Amino acid sequence: MSLKIKHLNGDTTFLLTFSPAEQRPALNRYGHPPGTFSVLVDPWLSGPSFMWHPKFLLSKHTVPSCISNLSQIPEPNVVLVSQDKPDHCHEPTLRQLNSTSTLTNVLAIPAAAKKIRAMKHFHPSQVHALPAYSSKDEDSLVRFYIPPLTPGGTSGEATIAYVPAKMDVSGLHNAIGITYRPPTAAPLCAQYSPPSSTCSNFSFPNPLQYQLNNMPPTPPDTPNQRPRSLSASTSPSTISTASSTSPTMSQASSASTAPTTSHSLHAHSPSFHSPSFHTHTHTHSTSSTSSTHHPRPVKTLSVIYSPHGLAYAPYLSHYATTHLVPQAALPLTTLIHGFDRVENPWYMGGNVNAGLPGGVEIAKNLMARCWIGAHDEDKENSGVSVLKIRMRKYGLGEVREMVRREWGGGGGGGCEVRALDCGEELVMRS
């Protein structure tokens, strides 16, 4: 499976595309190969952004975006808005999205969701405020059910969690966690040629489904059989086949419960390899000598997006131990976090971007396989809010050296540090 990350502007607009290992040439009606899951992050393509009044803060891109309109990319499954500030929640760019899409869900932090609803561009059912993540509240985690690639295969799942800082005067510091477990095809599907209707006559329900009964049930254990211990291939992979070819969204439910928290970092770390960066498709074999009812464990890709930064402890450490570990989603696939550190006086909110010092702590603790810089564009800023800003810029070489030192001189522990140019893509495979 793979994660393709494309930098759409010079700042912090990204398109993330998660794909299963088994690539199918056919596209669904939205232009996506089956099993893919795409997330458009903080879209701002062109034009100025200002907060409250241009005399307070006015920002302009200095690097042209690689596309001029969002219609130039396939419709995403999710549009993710991490801030209510206009450089993240940019109304002219958001209005470029299809307001009648039956695929796209807009997930935004509560303040941003309120602004987006006020635009009256999207149907209210398309816009959802992200609840703050809590391991004690299953409804705080948004889950997307991804149908099997073929009948008899196993379903996949994507999750999105919003982890905010508490008592944050500036309201800037949070992180969005994304995980993706791919669907698979039936192990023997390639050996047979069933009628095309077997694999293609699926319906396309509206993906906005929150009812718990829309998540397929987990079949019971076979009677008179010794119970098997849970592993990364049990509960999630025994979800029954649904009749949809597009991911459907629901709140967390017991029907899609992740493996137990008995998994540890050490238990799963050996099964992960250093990231590989390619531009060509690579497919892993899905053959197995085991029964078709017991497919081999499937890894989970994971992303932390935190453009302004968030303290690892207690916020991200809690998310990691209660969600990423049970999901077998560590080491972290990709951290998207700024390099430059930006400070305002305390009466203007204090820290703006945590930068390198905050990012290296997250990367080290989550064993990130890749760290991509974000929100570091040298924008044209003006207004009273930037008069007393202090910035410490860090070059790519400095970041790599800091990562190397924090990993004890061991070459960064396999963490690749990248600063993507506008329009540049990075493909990570697992």
Side-chain angles (χ1 to χ4, degrees):
M1 60 180 165
S2 65
L3 165 61
K4 181 170 73 174
I5 305 156
K6 184 170 184 176
H7 202 185
L8 299 183
N9 68 4
D11 200 39
T12 192
T13 299
F14 294 89
L15 179 62
L16 312 179
T17 305
F18 299 86
S19 303
E22 304 168 63
Q23 290 295 320
R24 303 278 157 173
L27 302 179
N28 63 23
R29 67 175 183 175
Y30 302 105
H32 296 284
T36 60
F37 183 77
S38 59
V39 181
L40 175 63
V41 180
D42 287 345
W44 172 28
L45 295 184
S46 61
S49 73
F50 64 88
M51 185 164 60
W52 298 331
H53 191 279
K55 290 186 177 180
F56 181 78
L57 175 61
L58 177 67
S59 296
K60 298 179 181 179
H61 283 306
T62 56
V63 177
S65 299
C66 69
I67 58 174
S68 59
N69 194 285
L70 293 180
S71 62
Q72 296 173 247
I73 61 173
E75 285 188 46
N77 295 98
V78 170
V79 176
L80 183 63
V81 181
S82 68
Q83 303 282 341
D84 65 331
K85 310 301 185 290
D87 54 340
H88 299 261
C89 183
H90 190 247
E91 181 172 350
T93 302
L94 288 170
R95 286 186 177 277
Q96 296 174 9
L97 291 163
N98 182 359
S99 62
T100 61
S101 173
T102 58
L103 173 72
T104 301
N105 299 287
V106 180
L107 302 185
I109 68 165
K114 183 178 180 180
K115 283 189 173 183
I116 295 169
R117 290 192 186 105
M119 296 176 192
K120 297 184 179 180
H121 175 70
F122 302 98
H123 190 276
S125 64
Q126 284 183 273
V127 183
H128 308 274
L130 285 167
Y133 173 76
S134 169
S135 60
K136 299 178 181 179
D137 182 6
E138 288 187 341
D139 289 340
S140 68
L141 188 69
V142 180
R143 296 181 184 271
F144 288 82
Y145 170 77
I146 305 175
L149 298 179
T150 64
T154 60
S155 60
E157 183 184 68
T159 71
I160 296 180
Y162 165 51
V163 185
K166 295 180 180 179
M167 306 298 290
D168 180 23
V169 176
S170 64
L172 297 172
H173 300 289
N174 64 44
I176 308 292
I178 306 171
T179 65
Y180 170 81
R181 188 185 70 244
T184 65
L188 301 179
C189 185
Q191 300 181 22
Y192 297 93
S193 299
S196 59
S197 60
T198 303
C199 295
S200 62
N201 284 356
F202 289 101
S203 61
F204 291 85
N206 189 320
L208 299 177
Q209 299 176 7
Y210 281 94
Q211 293 84 356
L212 298 181
N213 60 5
N214 284 335
M215 294 297 289
T218 300
D221 290 333
T222 303
N224 302 322
Q225 212 177 33
R226 186 176 180 178
R228 294 177 285 109
S229 59
L230 287 176
S231 69
S233 66
T234 55
S235 177
S237 63
T238 56
I239 297 175
S240 60
T241 303
S243 61
S244 169
T245 59
S246 300
T248 57
M249 185 172 74
S250 70
Q251 296 301 101
S253 71
S254 58
S256 59
T257 303
T260 61
T261 55
S262 59
H263 298 290
S264 66
L265 294 178
H266 301 291
H268 292 284
S269 294
S271 65
F272 287 84
H273 304 283
S274 297
S276 53
F277 306 94
H278 305 282
T279 57
H280 302 290
T281 302
H282 175 72
T283 304
H284 290 275
S285 171
T286 56
S287 61
S288 174
T289 58
S290 62
S291 166
T292 57
H293 296 291
H294 307 282
R296 70 181 185 182
V298 178
K299 300 173 185 177
T300 300
L301 298 177
S302 54
V303 173
I304 293 290
Y305 173 68
S306 185
H308 290 269
L310 178 69
Y312 176 74
Y315 307 114
L316 283 173
S317 59
H318 174 71
Y319 171 70
T321 55
T322 59
H323 184 63
L324 295 183
V325 172
Q327 289 282 328
L330 291 178
L332 186 74
T333 307
T334 302
L335 170 66
I336 303 177
H337 187 289
F339 295 156
D340 300 339
R341 188 171 181 86
V342 182
E343 299 278 354
N344 246 331
W346 65 268
Y347 53 84
M348 292 290 288
N351 180 262
V352 177
N353 287 6
L356 172 60
V360 75
E361 181 185 19
I362 299 171
K364 180 180 179 181
N365 281 285
L366 298 183
M367 301 170 286
R369 298 186 289 162
C370 181
W371 177 3
I372 296 175
H375 221 351
D376 294 327
E377 180 187 12
D378 290 322
K379 296 184 289 293
E380 182 182 322
N381 294 320
S382 61
V384 296
S385 66
V386 299
L387 294 178
K388 295 186 179 296
I389 268 192
R390 293 169 294 154
M391 180 182 296
R392 168 64 165 94
K393 294 192 71 67
Y394 291 92
L396 191 59
E398 289 180 280
V399 179
R400 287 173 174 165
E401 175 61 21
M402 176 68 80
V403 168
R404 188 191 66 82
R405 289 206 308 266
E406 287 295 319
W407 260 266
C415 180
E416 178 75 10
V417 180
R418 299 290 295 269
L420 299 182
D421 293 330
C422 181
E424 187 177 359
E425 294 181 356
L426 177 66
V427 179
M428 300 188 63
R429 305 191 188 279
S430 178

